[in-house]
Amino acid sequence: MPRFPSEKLKNEVVLRDPVHEYIHIEDKVIFDILKAKEFQRMRRIKQLGPISYVFPGATHTRFEHNSGVYELTRRICNIFARKYPSMAPNDGLWDDNNRLLVECAGLLHDIGHGPYSHTFEHLFGTNHEKIGQKIITDPNTEINHALKQVSSNFPDQVASVIAKTYPNAQVVKMISSQADADRMDYLQRDAYFTGVSYGQFDLSRILRVIRPYSDGICFTNNGMHAVEDYIVSRYQMYQQVYFHRVGRSMEVLLHHLLQRAKDVYQKGNLQVTPSLAKFLEGNWTLADYLNLDDGVMETNFSMWTKANDPILSDLSKRYLYRKPLASVKINKETKNLLPKLKTLINQAGFDPEYYTDTNSAFDEPYDAYKPTGKNANSQIEIMQDDGTLIELSELSPLVRALNGTFQGDERFFFPKIMLSQNDEPQIFDPLYQQFQKYVRNGELRYLRRPNKKKKDN
Ligand code: NI
């Protein structure tokens, strides 16, 4: 008797998918999760949020990504079951009894995300991981109901895989590690929908060389270059897409827009949809959270373009009509010039609290491959012919070089008009001139002092 008995569908259901071609659904429980209202909600939440303002094609949703991660876990299970089936307990090979568990975890790994998750969490203290656990384990959700067909404690087990506390490392690492089904799906999917070519890597080759071992998942040494290629693609996606300065600028605008809405709401005069009002009040339930999606947020932004508060109205228009803030790179030395710049911005009529910000690429919810540090336990291992494991960057000069580079930057955001006063003389021209003296070629610079000739005595 399998550990997680599953009722099969009479007829397999297939979804067409531009990245994986087909997503195959064979189990009733998977199909029921897909049909659950909490899962259907993912159709209304964009995977990349404001990045679609930079790459217009990137309006794909979390529904597609979650389904894609499910499909990859299903394929990896197929490969493991065929090539590396466990023959005895603890032999380090794959026990296919875990299949349904890991497939459900793949399907539900991002179920706790709401609209603009990253920004929203900062402002309203929500936590997508905790909410995800709740959606899976709360007896009032359709997802919980679907999972309970398998067994009464199945929801808890699925939640523990996502929380990385499930005792089988192969199961956990298939969903969350440096080369897991989650990243493999989002890199390819985000590359496809942004239209960039650098996120492409040889997924079919990766799936030929992936294998289980006693402490998790690794790759065979004949696939080293495919894995190397995956790391390079990932590096390029961070640099070109996820860390894009305009995408980050739109996120800064979004943050200030919601912050301003919160402040105006507390003073008691703001039109807002009931679902969002709960968050502005700081008094929300799971049901309120599940009522939010991109459409609800955009409806509010649209209403706020006509708000009485001029800052809120302006920020809403800037966001909806894509008027990003400009930005410059800052570093440790130039950071102390920011108060000076903020004073100039304030003199030009912009409240620095709502029209400036600093944002570090390191704060983004993505990371680069670092085999040491806090994620060291999920490093990528390459299995040699004799069964020993070697960490990828020890074998690959390319990956080693990427590890040594400084990835991402810190930027200061401010209204673009501060940079656009060259052609039109304005009444406050000297102010703008002074501002621009500090900003050169997209970087914040110290003013050069005139060279004084040293007197020879
Ligand atoms: Ni994901």
Side-chain angles (χ1 to χ4, degrees):
M1 165 110 176
R3 199 172 314 144
F4 304 114
S6 161
E7 189 183 328
K8 296 286 170 192
L9 293 168
K10 269 197 201 109
N11 295 310
E12 184 193 55
V13 172
V14 285
L15 310 179
R16 199 87 209 226
D17 180 74
V19 176
H20 305 308
E21 218 167 311
Y22 287 106
I23 290 167
H24 300 256
I25 300 163
E26 298 151 344
D27 299 85
K28 183 171 176 295
V29 58
I30 298 287
F31 197 37
D32 286 348
I33 293 170
L34 211 78
K35 290 189 285 187
K37 64 180 180 195
E38 300 89 13
F39 196 86
Q40 289 293 318
R41 161 185 152 270
M42 304 257 99
R43 289 186 188 276
R44 306 190 300 273
I45 298 171
K46 284 194 282 295
Q47 174 74 10
L48 291 182
I51 290 177
S52 62
Y53 280 104
V54 183
F55 299 94
T59 54
H60 55 302
T61 70
R62 294 198 179 272
F63 182 90
E64 296 142 86
H65 167 60
N66 279 285
S67 315
V69 174
Y70 154 77
E71 175 61 17
L72 282 182
T73 57
R74 194 190 69 85
R75 288 184 194 180
I76 295 170
C77 287
N78 282 350
I79 293 161
F80 284 5
R82 194 178 72 238
K83 290 165 76 176
Y84 308 103
S86 175
M87 300 298 181
N90 304 318
D91 61 3
L93 298 173
W94 175 250
D95 176 0
D96 207 41
N97 278 315
N98 288 311
R99 172 191 287 266
L100 191 65
L101 177 67
V102 73
E103 285 177 353
C104 288
L107 188 60
L108 291 168
H109 79 284
D110 277 340
I111 192 69
H113 277 291
Y116 318 118
S117 246
H118 192 51
T119 306
F120 210 85
E121 295 195 354
H122 277 277
L123 270 168
F124 301 111
T126 54
N127 176 320
H128 72 267
E129 285 173 4
K130 281 191 191 151
I131 293 170
Q133 299 281 314
K134 185 115 169 90
I135 293 170
I136 293 168
T137 57
D138 187 314
N140 297 315
T141 67
E142 293 184 7
I143 285 177
N144 180 270
H145 192 79
L147 290 167
K148 275 199 183 137
Q149 294 171 47
V150 179
S151 70
S152 60
N153 68 347
F154 192 57
D156 288 331
Q157 288 178 300
V158 171
S160 75
V161 174
I162 298 170
K164 301 184 216 175
T165 55
Y166 188 75
N168 182 321
Q170 292 170 357
V171 171
V172 170
K173 290 187 177 176
M174 206 186 291
I175 308 296
S176 36
S177 63
Q178 289 292 332
D180 58 13
D182 180 22
R183 286 172 212 265
M184 287 185 205
D185 183 81
Y186 78 62
L187 288 175
Q188 294 238 316
R189 194 169 295 282
D190 295 346
Y192 178 89
F193 284 99
T194 51
V196 301
S197 57
Y198 15 75
Q200 302 294 345
F201 57 91
D202 192 349
L203 179 61
S204 58
R205 178 79 189 143
I206 296 251
L207 293 181
R208 293 187 75 82
V209 298
I210 192 167
R211 62 157 296 163
Y213 75 102
S214 53
D215 287 327
I217 288 173
C218 65
F219 300 89
T220 54
N221 61 354
N222 57 338
M224 205 271 279
H225 295 293
V227 184
E228 192 177 54
D229 183 34
Y230 156 82
I231 293 293
V232 174
S233 308
R234 185 165 138 189
Y235 168 79
Q236 288 177 322
M237 283 298 281
Y238 295 136
Q239 300 300 313
Q240 308 284 335
V241 177
Y242 305 131
F243 293 170
H244 196 287
R245 66 190 162 77
V246 178
R248 281 157 64 191
S249 172
M250 293 305 289
E251 205 164 307
V252 164
L253 265 182
L254 185 69
H255 188 271
H256 288 331
L257 161 60
L258 284 167
Q259 178 66 56
R260 185 67 182 179
K262 206 171 158 186
D263 298 347
V264 173
Y265 185 83
Q266 270 152 19
K267 284 177 203 140
N269 183 23
L270 182 66
Q271 203 189 357
V272 51
T273 62
S275 44
L276 186 59
K278 298 281 189 177
F279 291 86
L280 298 177
E281 281 161 18
N283 172 31
W284 55 274
T285 63
L286 181 62
D288 297 319
Y289 189 83
L290 292 170
N291 275 330
L292 291 179
D293 56 37
D294 288 354
V296 168
M297 300 303 286
E298 284 159 6
T299 301
N300 281 285
F301 301 161
S302 180
M303 289 192 313
W304 298 342
T305 59
K306 297 183 189 78
N308 291 330
D309 180 73
I311 293 181
L312 182 61
S313 155
D314 180 57
L315 291 174
S316 301
K317 288 176 191 159
R318 282 174 189 260
Y319 186 77
L320 283 181
Y321 310 152
R322 194 196 180 279
K323 309 253 179 263
L325 298 170
S327 67
V328 280
K329 258 191 212 177
I330 49 178
N331 57 36
K332 261 189 210 143
E333 284 82 50
T334 54
K335 211 169 180 170
N336 57 17
L337 292 173
L338 297 183
K340 169 83 187 156
L341 293 193
K342 285 186 189 176
T343 306
L344 295 172
I345 290 164
N346 203 6
Q347 284 169 11
F350 299 99
D351 182 342
E353 203 187 325
Y354 297 105
Y355 286 92
T356 71
D357 208 345
T358 55
N359 159 305
S360 163
F362 315 108
D363 296 338
E364 300 294 311
Y366 308 98
D367 56 12
Y369 179 57
K370 289 260 184 275
T372 54
K374 69 176 175 149
N375 291 324
N377 64 341
S378 65
Q379 62 193 19
I380 297 177
E381 305 280 4
I382 305 293
M383 187 178 277
Q384 306 305 299
D385 291 339
D386 64 0
T388 56
L389 296 167
I390 302 181
E391 189 277 314
L392 177 63
S393 68
E394 283 182 39
L395 294 169
S396 161
L398 200 54
V399 173
R400 201 157 51 240
L402 285 181
N403 280 342
T405 57
F406 183 73
Q407 303 186 6
D409 62 7
E410 191 167 20
R411 306 189 76 89
F412 175 65
F413 295 85
F414 56 88
K416 216 172 211 162
I417 199 169
M418 301 302 293
L419 291 178
S420 58
Q421 294 302 309
N422 288 329
D423 357 336
E424 298 167 49
Q426 297 268 335
I427 190 159
F428 28 62
D429 214 14
L431 190 155
Y432 285 83
Q433 298 296 336
Q434 208 191 336
F435 184 91
Q436 286 167 48
K437 273 185 203 158
Y438 291 97
V439 176
R440 306 262 169 77
N441 307 323
E443 289 194 34
L444 188 55
R445 297 277 174 84
Y446 276 108
L447 298 182
R448 280 239 179 83
R449 289 182 193 88
N451 287 332
K452 278 180 192 163
K453 275 188 185 169
K454 274 184 185 169
K455 277 179 193 168
D456 292 325
N457 288 331

